[in-house]
Amino acid sequence: MKKIVFGMLLLVVTLSAQGQDKKNKNAKYFTEVNGNCDLCKKRIEKAAFSVTGVKSAVWDVDSHQLSLILNEEKTSLLDVKKALAKVGHDTDDVKATDESYANLHSCCQYERK
């Protein structure tokens, strides 16, 4: 009886350990990205798609929300935020440099916090 209980316990531990290493190939994220207009929309979506593993990227001008679907085996949300900062757009975690922000078109320069 002890061998059966021990075997079952070992099986449960093994299966739970394997499940933790698996990354989601269609992870959905929403994050705020600062911007103002349709030019920003094109730039933000292009920057997001430049990151390997991003499957979908849609930025809403009114809400400033970027909806993402990405393969977590290839990239992370932080990698996408870094790419957005490179092209001049601040996110909650990663801020664009003053230089990249200054390179934005005048209509795209949002009020920085």
Side-chain angles (χ1 to χ4, degrees):
M1 180 69 176
K2 287 182 181 179
K3 288 182 180 181
I4 293 173
V5 171
F6 180 73
M8 296 292 275
L9 182 62
L10 185 62
L11 179 65
V12 169
V13 170
T14 303
L15 291 176
S16 66
Q18 288 178 350
Q20 292 174 357
D21 294 329
K22 206 166 197 176
K23 299 209 177 191
N24 192 344
K25 291 184 179 183
N26 290 306
K28 295 178 183 174
Y29 292 98
F30 297 93
T31 189
E32 186 173 342
V33 181
N34 292 327
N36 293 329
C37 62
D38 285 332
L39 286 175
C40 295
K41 178 178 174 63
K42 289 178 186 176
R43 186 181 313 102
I44 289 168
E45 291 174 359
K46 183 177 179 180
F49 278 117
S50 73
V51 178
T52 301
V54 173
K55 295 180 175 185
S56 173
V58 179
W59 185 72
D60 182 67
V61 176
D62 296 326
S63 69
H64 294 196
Q65 290 293 310
L66 177 64
S67 303
L68 290 167
I69 299 175
L70 54 92
N71 182 341
E72 291 180 321
E73 292 177 351
K74 295 181 180 180
T75 193
S76 69
L77 180 58
L78 183 59
D79 291 337
V80 176
K81 289 179 179 184
K82 287 177 183 177
L84 296 169
K86 263 188 192 176
V87 297
H89 292 276
D90 293 342
T91 65
D92 53 352
D93 294 332
V94 183
K95 303 296 180 204
T97 63
D98 291 337
E99 182 181 349
S100 62
Y101 175 78
N103 287 333
L104 292 176
H105 189 271
S106 61
C107 73
C108 297
Q109 292 184 347
Y110 48 88
E111 186 176 324
R112 295 183 93 181
K113 298 175 185 171

